[in-house]
Amino acid sequence: MRLPPLPADQWDDEVQRSLAGILARERQNPEEAGNVLATLVRHPALAKAFFGLGVHLLFRSTLPPRVRELTIMRVAHRRGCTYEWNHHLEFAAQAGLTEDDIASIQRGTAPDEFDNLVLSAADELDDKSNLSDQTWAALGERLNERQCMDLVFTVGCYCMLAMAFNTFGVEVEH
């Protein structure tokens, strides 16, 4: 672990302000915040700036939860991000993903045509930082413009998070 969670005695007003709107005041401590938040608040200004996007993508995205979790889990798998993978297994289950779906995410191919398109789009964005016209058009047959935008930002954001979590050594809570 390169960057451990911020110790409790260093949780000052700036840290508390960075968590406003994302975490109830009584949970603003290293034990209740969890390893990700407790690590990110080592840089309160950056954490606060990031949390707005993170909250949107996870809780306010226009993507259907199933599509969001297929996308996030595919990024986590490709990037070898254990924290992201384990954390999102619960979200994936809540979104209706089955064990077979999880296996499909790991393989990168799914029996469902649209699921397969979502996995391929995540791979394409991760590999090329772009989508082909064909992939964009295929996504547009099922997703509206805002949903397509949320998908692109979800892949980009979770690639960045995987990079940060892997680099910082964020550990899965037990």
Side-chain angles (χ1 to χ4, degrees), residues 57 71 75 125 150-161:
L57 293 175
T71 303
V75 168
L125 285 165
D150 275 335
L151 187 137
V152 170
F153 274 86
T154 298
V155 171
C157 181
Y158 280 87
C159 284
M160 179 181 65
L161 281 175

Side-chain angles (χ1 to χ4, degrees), residues 134-148:
Q134 178 183 356
T135 302
W136 181 259
L139 286 169
E141 291 175 15
R142 292 276 299 270
L143 301 176
N144 66 35
E145 182 178 89
R146 288 182 180 182
Q147 290 172 317
C148 288

Side-chain angles (χ1 to χ4, degrees), residues 57-77:
L57 293 175
L58 191 55
F59 300 112
R60 298 185 189 123
S61 172
T62 61
L63 286 176
R66 177 183 179 82
V67 173
R68 181 196 68 225
E69 291 307 317
L70 280 168
T71 303
I72 293 169
M73 295 292 289
R74 183 62 183 159
V75 168
H77 176 72

Side-chain angles (χ1 to χ4, degrees), residues 1-4 39-40 46 162-171:
M1 177 180 339
R2 289 186 179 133
L3 288 177
T39 300
L40 293 179
L46 177 63
M163 185 185 310
F165 296 169
N166 288 342
T167 300
F168 303 158
V170 176
E171 295 179 347

